[in-house]
Amino acid sequence: MRKILVVGGGYAGFYTAWKLEKKLRRDEAELILVDPRPYMTYQPFLPEVTAGSVEARHAAVSLRRHLRRTKVVAGRVTVIDHARRAVTVRPADGPEFEIGYDVIAVTAGAVTRKFPVPGIVENAIGMKHIEEAVAIRDRLLTSFDRAAVLPPGPARRRLLTVTFVGGGFSGVEGFGEVMSLAHALVRRYPELDPSEPKFHLVEATGRILPEVTGRPGRWVVRSLEKRGATVHLNTTVKSAVDGHVVLSTGEEYDSGLIVWTTGNAANPVVHKHTDLPIDQAGRIVVRPDLRIGTDSEPIPDAWAAGDDAAVPDLASDVPGALTVPNAQHAYRQGKLLAKNIAASLRGRPAKNYVHHSLGAVATLGLGRGIFQYRRLVIKGFPAWLMHRGYHVLAVPSWERKIRVLAVWITAVFHGRDIVSLASVEHPRDAFVTGE
């Protein structure tokens, strides 16, 4: 049997292993997947996790539960040495070890892009993983509790100020959902005035949501501003030391919650620790059929997909265009990657990846959204319903679909759960202090 190694258990990696299990006989190949987390994160649900509209565990798909024929290795791949057909794995405990393979599928994904802004690493929270979305929610809920017992002034104002840096999909969706939660939350605090919570969205370019055209994007800005947000376009964060935000426009203010959503950067193992070919952006060079390499110099038994792969966009009219690193492409590339690997093992030709966009849909908070497909634009409640309908169908497994639907139906009758569990970050405090 040939040994197939999948590096990374995100969207592309999970679907690659999941579909390979269904396409290959048990005696055809041994499947191994390496990832430090025991689950695949359904990232489109992270904004709703921050708002409590989706339970955190329901946005995570267990690898061991759904990959029944795949050996799941809990660890981080630190080196890919394809010349030797081996990877180095660093587990959470114990020494590093090597895993050999015959065929590799690199689906390690990307990491959050950071800039050398003073104070960001010490104070900001990303929004790429489940624990980050939960921390954002708990930080907001705890801030309201703390602010309610303080007199009006700088300390209270700081606790009730939220800043999102980055106006892409994850930033705008997270921003809209946090605003929606805060507006619902303030009604539970008679000590606070509804005008006190402040929300800042900072974007370095002149527009937000680059996946939608200019006019709908401007509508989103106006919609957020009508709800009390301050949208800073063509603006960057110069400093965030001790939560004191300094913008490139000269404006300064204190913020108790800073969320960093400025896009993706190359995964370090792909960018620095592999002998596979990479482009200038640190992504693996792949052909349209997801094989690593070029038409003139293919790399045998090596494949890649997802955010860490520079996949040619055959559906684009722009020469040399690459697919956008998002969930829509990673999901479909993972499925095709499994088909192509299976075909390759059986001596059949691989198919090229071609996907025409289904449009862009985003939630802007409870009951608000936007959808665009070419010139068709839908706004408000219908777009929000489309967002929920699409993603409940897209999340893997019926078990997860039913759990998410159950939470949504419960919220219709009982509202959002507003309990903060920030104390779970320090579980021994009560035991140590005896309080």
Side-chain angles (χ1 to χ4, degrees):
M1 288 197 302
R2 306 199 76 187
K3 185 183 293 186
I4 301 174
L5 176 67
V6 180
V7 179
Y11 250 112
F14 173 81
Y15 276 100
T16 298
W18 202 24
K19 296 301 180 181
L20 279 172
E21 287 188 350
K22 298 178 181 180
K23 294 184 177 299
L24 297 178
R25 300 186 307 273
R26 290 183 178 274
D27 61 350
E28 278 191 279
E30 176 187 355
L31 301 176
I32 304 172
L33 184 146
V34 182
D35 195 277
R37 290 179 172 82
Y39 56 82
M40 183 273 280
T41 301
Y42 189 75
Q43 291 188 349
F45 275 160
L46 292 186
E48 296 207 53
V49 171
T50 66
S53 298
V54 171
E55 285 294 324
R57 286 186 178 87
H58 300 169
V61 179
S62 170
L63 298 179
R64 293 183 182 274
R65 175 167 184 164
H66 296 284
L67 301 181
R68 299 178 181 177
R69 286 176 47 199
T70 301
K71 179 182 179 181
V72 178
V73 178
R76 187 180 303 277
V77 172
T78 57
V79 179
I80 300 174
D81 188 349
H82 189 64
R84 295 176 49 242
R85 297 291 202 280
V87 299
T88 302
V89 179
R90 179 183 299 159
D93 301 291
E96 293 185 346
F97 57 90
E98 284 194 347
I99 297 179
Y101 62 84
D102 298 300
V103 179
I104 190 170
V106 184
T107 57
V111 298
T112 300
R113 180 174 58 179
K114 296 189 289 288
F115 298 99
V117 178
I120 284 297
V121 172
E122 295 80 6
N123 295 285
I125 303 174
M127 206 175 76
K128 198 172 184 65
H129 302 291
I130 294 289
E131 60 269 27
E132 293 174 323
V134 172
I136 293 168
R137 168 179 162 78
D138 286 342
R139 178 79 64 85
L140 181 72
L141 295 174
T142 302
S143 293
F144 269 73
D145 283 333
R146 293 170 59 190
V149 298
L150 292 175
R156 179 155 140 171
R157 190 161 52 246
R158 174 193 179 102
L159 287 169
L160 297 177
T161 300
V162 176
T163 301
F164 272 67
V165 185
F169 253 80
S170 61
V172 171
E173 288 190 313
F175 186 71
E177 288 288 347
V178 166
M179 279 186 65
S180 180
L181 172 61
H183 289 153
L185 195 61
V186 75
R187 294 195 292 267
R188 305 281 184 175
Y189 291 84
E191 304 92 341
L192 303 177
D193 188 274
S195 65
E196 288 189 83
K198 302 296 181 184
F199 306 91
H200 297 265
L201 176 62
V202 183
E203 168 55 37
T205 67
R207 55 177 295 186
I208 62 175
L209 294 179
E211 290 85 351
V212 303
T213 55
R215 191 170 180 179
R218 290 191 293 272
W219 175 85
V220 173
V221 172
R222 293 195 301 271
S223 174
L224 294 173
E225 291 177 338
K226 286 180 181 178
R227 293 162 58 191
T230 301
V231 180
H232 306 267
L233 298 178
N234 296 307
T235 305
T236 59
V237 176
K238 293 299 183 182
S239 175
V241 176
D242 296 328
H244 182 73
V245 178
V246 180
L247 303 180
S248 59
T249 57
E251 183 176 351
E252 300 183 24
Y253 60 89
D254 291 328
S255 183
L257 174 59
I258 303 173
V259 183
W260 190 263
T261 61
T262 57
N264 296 327
N267 192 300
V269 68
V270 171
H271 186 46
K272 301 177 181 178
H273 304 290
T274 179
D275 56 353
L276 296 171
I278 60 173
D279 64 8
Q280 293 181 342
R283 298 167 71 185
I284 297 179
V285 176
V286 300
R287 307 188 325 180
D289 62 0
L290 306 180
R291 295 177 189 266
I292 296 177
T294 62
D295 290 336
S296 59
E297 296 184 22
I299 306 298
D301 300 320
W303 307 76
D307 291 355
D308 64 0
V311 180
D313 189 353
L314 300 185
S316 174
D317 297 328
V318 180
L322 302 176
T323 58
V324 178
N326 61 22
Q328 190 175 127
H329 283 299
Y331 158 69
R332 288 170 174 80
Q333 288 171 11
K335 292 173 67 175
L336 178 64
L337 183 52
K339 293 179 182 178
N340 283 350
I341 291 176
S344 176
L345 292 179
R346 295 165 180 170
R348 299 172 185 169
K351 296 182 179 180
N352 288 341
Y353 176 75
V354 183
H355 172 63
H356 296 273
S357 174
L358 301 176
V361 61
T363 174
L364 303 175
L366 193 63
R368 299 176 176 89
I370 186 168
F371 168 81
Q372 181 178 19
Y373 177 69
R374 297 181 180 175
R375 294 187 178 183
L376 174 64
V377 179
I378 301 175
K379 307 171 184 175
F381 187 73
W384 176 77
L385 285 178
M386 293 173 68
H387 177 273
R388 285 206 160 181
Y390 172 79
H391 285 300
V392 79
L393 290 174
V395 67
S397 82
W398 279 103
E399 171 253 343
R400 278 296 181 260
K401 300 180 199 295
I402 293 170
R403 289 182 186 274
V404 170
L405 277 173
V407 173
W408 284 346
I409 293 171
T410 302
V412 170
F413 298 100
H414 301 287
R416 305 179 197 239
D417 193 330
I418 61 171
V419 174
S420 169
L421 295 178
S423 57
V424 300
E425 298 177 23
H426 308 282
R428 296 186 65 253
D429 283 359
F431 176 74
V432 172
T433 62
E435 296 178 356

